[in-house]
Amino acid sequence: MENTTEDGPVANSLASLINRRRGARTYVELSKDCGGKPTHKALQQMVNRKLRNFPDPDTIRGLARGLNVLESDVVDVCAREVGLRVGVELEDGLVLAHARRLPASAQDVLASMSRELLKLNGLAEAAAAAPKTAKKQAEQPAQDNYRLAADQGEKGMSFDTEVDPD
């Protein structure tokens, strides 16, 4: 499977990063600048095929060196390409002032508590939705019966009258 579109490599792919940072160098020259890892053949595969597995640390270090980028940039691009969520997504994140100053164990407790609260909130939302659904289903026959009476022309029944399900 090729890692390209009609216009070129997929925007945030490893192939795109390599092509942008390679310049006029051949794959052989780039491999030498990487310290020999990845090899020129591996570089060609990275550009022409979708990344399926996360590269090993030596490959990441070599790519960062040869492409003159941070190792974290290579890790970020590779992680996204293999389908891993990386970084902080602001819309999902809640920032607690000075939480990073807490010991790791306390940060873990906060993260665990957050997960549990999200689970409880999901259960509460599902429970709140259940009675509304049941009430709607219970009201439906009463409304249908009332409408049927209006359709049959029973005295005092009209389409404009509101239904009182009780």
Side-chain angles (χ1 to χ4, degrees), residues 109-124:
V109 168
L110 286 172
S112 177
M113 186 173 60
S114 174
R115 282 190 298 275
E116 291 303 314
L117 288 171
L118 287 169
K119 284 181 195 174
L120 289 173
N121 187 50
L123 293 173

Side-chain angles (χ1 to χ4, degrees), residues 64-105:
R65 184 180 323 120
L67 299 173
N68 197 26
V69 296
L70 297 173
E71 291 174 3
S72 60
D73 293 340
V74 177
V75 169
D76 183 55
V77 167
C78 292
R80 290 178 194 276
E81 191 167 344
V82 297
L84 299 174
R85 289 180 60 190
V86 292
V88 176
E89 301 206 9
L90 293 178
E91 64 188 47
D92 288 344
L94 173 64
V95 177
L96 297 176
H98 310 291
R100 291 286 176 209
R101 294 182 186 171
L102 296 171
S105 60

